Amino acid sequence: MPAELPLESGQATKKGAPRKGTGSGGGLLMLLFSATIFISAALLFLVEPMFAKFILPLFGSTPAVWTGSMLFFQATLLLAYLYVHATTTWLGARKQAWLHLAVVSLPLILFLLSGPLAVPSDEWAPSSQANPIFLLLGLMLVAIGLPFFAIAATNPLVQRWLADTDHPSARDPYFLYRASNLGSVIGLLGYPLVVEREFTLATQGLWWSIGYGLLVVLVLVSAVMLCLSEPAQ
C-alpha cells in the first residue's frame, strides 16, 4: 500500500503547502513516461519471438537453438540492469539521460544506414557438423544485441528518471508498472495472434524498426522533460 496517495492539482498537503509537480506539466510528464515505458515493453516482448522466427530457417528448431536464444536474451537483460545501476549511480539521473539517449540512438542510426531489422543471410547458416550455439550467439549479438540492450534498459531508467523529479507519484510510480505490464502483454500476445499471421517476416522487421524509431523520439522528449522538471526534494 502506498504511504500517501497522489494529490490532485492544486490540493494542499497535510502541512498546508501545495504539492509540487502538479498541474498540466505533471500530467504531461506522467503521460510521456508511461508511453515511453509502454512502447519499450511492447518492443522488447515482440522482438524475442520475432527474431527467433527469423533464425529458424537457418538454425532449425533444436533445443540448443532455443536454449541459446534464451541465454542471450537473459544475459543481455542482466547487462542492461547493471548498466542502469552503474550509470545512474555515477552520473545521476539527468546526466545519465543524455547518455542513454546516445545509446538508444545508435541502433537507429545503424538501421538507417544498413536497413531495418531483417532475416539474416544464408552466410550465417551453420554447417551440419558444427555446434550452432556459438554462431547463433554471434549472430544475435551483431543483429539484435544493441537495440535489445537499449530497450531493456529503458524501462527501469524511466522509472529512475521519474524518481528524480518532484512529481507527486515519484515515490510510488504504480502507473508506470501498469504501462510496462500492458506493453508486455500486448507484445507477448500480439505476435502470435496478429503480427505473425498478418505480416511477412520482412514487413515485421520493418514495422518493428519503425517502432524503435518512435521509442527514440519518446526517450529524447522524456530526457528533455526530465531536465526541465524540478528535482526531487
Side-chain angles (χ1 to χ4, degrees):
M1 291 291 293
E4 180 180 357
L5 294 177
L7 301 177
E8 298 297 332
S9 177
Q11 186 176 350
T13 63
K14 292 181 179 180
K15 296 182 179 181
R19 185 71 175 268
K20 290 186 177 181
T22 57
S24 60
L28 178 60
L29 187 72
M30 181 175 66
L31 179 62
L32 176 62
F33 281 13
S34 296
T36 304
I37 283 186
F38 171 81
I39 295 297
S40 68
L43 289 174
L44 188 73
F45 283 90
L46 274 172
V47 76
E48 293 186 27
M50 185 179 73
F51 197 76
K53 190 70 178 291
F54 282 7
I55 63 178
L56 281 180
L58 297 179
F59 291 88
S61 184
T62 65
V65 171
W66 290 107
T67 302
S69 299
M70 290 301 299
L71 172 64
F72 174 83
F73 287 129
Q74 292 300 316
T76 307
L77 189 65
L78 176 60
L79 288 175
Y81 289 162
L82 291 175
Y83 153 80
V84 171
H85 174 72
T87 55
T88 53
T89 300
W90 294 338
L91 300 176
R94 283 163 167 74
K95 291 181 179 179
Q96 198 284 333
W98 300 110
L99 170 63
H100 189 62
L101 178 61
V103 170
V104 297
S105 298
L106 184 55
L108 180 61
I109 295 173
L110 296 178
F111 288 151
L112 294 175
L113 294 177
S114 60
L117 190 65
V119 178
S121 66
D122 293 338
E123 297 175 355
W124 287 96
S127 63
S128 58
Q129 299 178 348
N131 187 336
I133 187 66
F134 295 108
L135 189 61
L136 171 65
L137 293 176
L139 168 60
M140 298 184 74
L141 178 64
V142 171
I144 199 63
L146 188 55
F148 186 87
F149 173 86
I151 294 171
T154 298
N155 191 320
L157 271 177
V158 173
Q159 296 182 42
R160 176 64 181 81
W161 294 353
L162 178 67
D164 201 60
T165 71
D166 68 338
H167 192 278
S169 299
R171 295 186 178 182
D172 191 23
Y174 282 153
F175 60 89
L176 295 185
Y177 303 150
R178 292 196 295 267
S180 177
N181 291 337
L182 180 60
S184 301
V185 170
I186 288 179
L188 284 172
L189 298 181
Y191 187 79
L193 295 180
V194 178
V195 177
E196 188 177 18
R197 294 182 178 185
E198 302 296 331
F199 300 99
T200 64
L201 293 180
T203 307
Q204 291 175 26
L206 174 61
W207 280 109
W208 188 89
S209 300
I210 293 174
Y212 187 88
L214 174 61
L215 177 64
V216 174
V217 173
L218 289 173
V219 171
L220 169 61
V221 181
S222 297
V224 172
M225 289 291 293
L226 171 64
C227 292
L228 293 177
S229 66
E230 293 292 333
Q233 300 297 323

